[in-house]
Amino acid sequence: MTAQEVRLCGLLLQEHFGDVVEKVGTHLLRNGAQHLRAIVQETGTPMDLVKKSLCVLIQHGACAFSSGRKGPGSPVEYQASFERILRILRYPRYIYTAKTLYGDTGELIIEELLQRGHMTMSSTVKTVADRLTLNMEEGHSMEYSEVSNTFSKLVETHFLQRCPPVEVAGKAVSATPDPATTPGAPANNTTPSTPESFADCYKVPHVTLIGRGKRRNSSEDGEDQRNAKRAKEDPETHGDEGIYWQVNFERFHLHFRDQAIISAVANKLDQTSSEIVRTMLRMSEVTTPPIATCTQALSANEIFRSLPPNYNISRPILDQYLTLLVDDPMEFVGKSGDSGGGMYVVNLHRALANLARATLESVVQERFGSRSARIFRLLLRKRHLEQKQVEDFAMIPAKEAKDMLYTLLSENLVQLQEIPKTPDHAPSRTFYLYTVNQLPTARMLLQNCFKTVANLIERRLFETKESKRLLEKSQRIEAILASLQASGAEPEQLTEVEEMITPPEKQQLESLRHHINKLDSAENQVDETIFLLESYIKAMKRL
Amino acid sequence: MAARGRGRGRRLMSFSVEAVGISRGESLPPSILQPTPLFPPMEQKPLPLVGGEEVEYMLALKQEFRGAMRSLPFFIQPDAPHTDVERYSDKYHSSEPADSSLDWKPGEAAVAVSLVKVSLTACFAPQTLEKKEEEVSSGEEEGEEKKKQEEEEAEGEEEYDEEEFEEETDYIMSYFDNGEEFAGDSDDNMDEAIY
């Protein structure tokens, strides 16, 4: 857990869950697994607030509990997960992807689940139907069944999964007769059980949900009270109590990875090649496990049959495209055999490595100029080079090449490797070679990305705090305007209220909004780089 | 280290001069004796951000999400600072929502099965309490069937805290004036009793 990671997680927790959860969360991240009393003592927060924070963190999957390390009698220990908290940065991307794939209904389902962490299917469907009904015209409302259909589709394509039921420490016999529990889970099960180890992970429960979304109108306060009381006293059962759902981030990541590969092919080659790669990836979606190095082999005949109908390219042209893709130095597609007109695979890990390499090269280019980027690319390709060889191959004058190499060396993007000729490592009799190691450099850049996002968030908070007075004033005026408009006021009153903000203040507000939007947008875009680098590092780790 | 070697006249350095590329008469850059500046001047300006509809939409999603999270029960506020003396009306002030979901009392009917098992195997009180905490927290979060009733209550209570609390008393909240505004004015008459 590096300092940058902890700092970033702290900022994310603070923005979304408040200061108390931030304190507890960062304490857990810094100090590893802790039990409840230790957390209370060391953070100095009252016991009930700590309990609440832990509940919130567990609800959102950011914290897990397990039996103590000292044996079955020791208290429960809680452990926060840094990766899960970092996912908060990617929430807008998940919601937007759901919108492109499943429309507004899918978007709202994913948004609700991300906001609440874990939810039952029935409550999700009801909330989403109500929200959709709000945006529809008068007299129309959303059927529960439509929303349930979209929910089932999301589960079928594995974008949603059930939360795994929990085995409790210190119990010899698991009390739940639910077939979804892992059979024979021992008391001190320290290995974290993934949601996928449960058989019913993707099974949609039989839910009786009949009705339409409710529209909230102006008489909502009285109705809310009555509804609230009714919901408390008489909970409607829909047959799926105890079955909670969460968003399956890994599936979204596979989707993003595929998108990255397809757009890379489109940029490097052309639209038709990217369509071919998209078809290949779509065909092997269900057959390829998430950790696979490459997809299943597909024959050219199959690819030809599965191409989208509006792409009427002939068979020989398809073969030519496939040959082009195989020969391309980026190695997105590989040929694994000749049967069936040629067996082709998409090299997933190699594609990720190439995308990461392109990211590194682009970073060097933007920070140090194109000639330093040339040296960097040269070192990536040729592995180890001496000072003289670098100057020769890169065709850069000696003095400038030296300068650039030293700058890259001081930024730790390039490393020096000593090769002694004699056992006493005498400097005059040692080779000094410059080299670039892609994986450690990617790790270092990933940490830089975390620092970048943390800086962006802090700057945004600073800007907001500076103009707090102005923002509050504008919010109050908006509230006044809204209430005046609702109660039907004359235009003169409205303009009078609007003039309470002076033009320079308006300008200041405008520029503040512009800055905050820019900082927010930058966070989203740095997150895309984070995704690429993280996927690459994870893929390499599995090898 | 290079400066040291240079000043003494003994040109023994840990790395070979020629190999790394410093020729004999060349001067090294002066050593800097202060931390690097906070905002160093950049030789290359960064690229502009990507624009477009998709980016704008995701930006709006992000800001809405942040706003929505603030209003959910997951956003926990720290305790309000306590005044020096406990007042009678403190009982009726909604200083914090009554989260009786966290007041798990051992022996509640809904958690009978697991707690009975746990209490049989428990060694002594603090561990039992913590196990039960963890029982109920796991039930509350992960939804085991044996705790479904308790956890439904808990979920309902987390969400409808304010209303429930306000239902409990028949008095208007503002009726119970703390009297602090009254006492705060007269700071010099501390020997008089404060009502």
Side-chain angles (χ1 to χ4, degrees), chain A residues 239-255:
Chain A
D240 72 336
E241 267 57 38
I243 302 177
Y244 287 83
W245 297 87
Q246 62 187 13
V247 175
N248 182 5
F249 296 118
E250 286 310 314
R251 179 67 183 87
F252 274 105
H253 293 167
L254 293 178
H255 185 262

Side-chain angles (χ1 to χ4, degrees), chain A residues 452-476:
Chain A
T452 311
V453 182
N455 285 350
L456 285 167
I457 299 180
E458 280 210 27
R459 181 70 198 194
R460 177 164 48 83
L461 292 175
F462 171 76
E463 297 262 331
T464 324
K465 201 159 62 147
E466 285 271 294
S467 322
K468 198 161 104 150
R469 209 200 106 254
L470 190 58
L471 277 172
E472 277 175 4
K473 179 173 173 185
S474 85
Q475 272 170 1
R476 257 181 298 142

Side-chain angles (χ1 to χ4, degrees), chain A residues 265-275 321:
Chain A
V265 173
N267 282 340
K268 184 112 199 277
L269 299 172
D270 74 336
Q271 187 67 18
T272 319
S273 329
S274 78
E275 277 306 315
Y321 266 113

Side-chain angles (χ1 to χ4, degrees), chain A residues 139-150:
Chain A
H140 290 235
S141 64
M142 191 71 180
E143 279 267 358
Y144 283 174
S145 56
E146 266 185 65
V147 184
S148 303
N149 275 344
T150 317

Side-chain angles (χ1 to χ4, degrees), chain A residues 55 57-65 118 162-167 241-246, chain B residues 134-145 147 151 155:
Chain A
C55 285
L57 286 173
I58 294 177
Q59 168 83 6
H60 281 83
C63 176
F65 55 89
H118 302 164
R162 282 204 205 182
C163 307
V166 171
E167 317 104 42
E241 267 57 38
I243 302 177
Y244 287 83
W245 297 87
Q246 62 187 13
Chain B
E134 169 241 329
E135 297 274 19
V136 186
S137 79
S138 74
E140 192 173 321
E141 295 357 299
E142 307 295 341
E144 292 205 58
E145 286 138 52
K147 296 183 203 61
E151 147 242 298
E155 291 247 336

Side-chain angles (χ1 to χ4, degrees), chain A residues 1-8 30 447:
Chain A
M1 206 64 33
T2 68
Q4 296 303 334
E5 292 171 354
V6 173
R7 178 173 161 229
L8 177 56
R30 268 200 198 108
Q447 294 299 318

Side-chain angles (χ1 to χ4, degrees), chain B residues 39-58:
Chain B
F39 293 110
M42 292 191 292
E43 302 94 34
Q44 320 260 345
K45 292 283 173 229
L47 290 173
L49 289 175
V50 178
E53 206 187 295
E54 196 178 307
V55 170
E56 306 270 338
Y57 193 78
M58 285 214 270

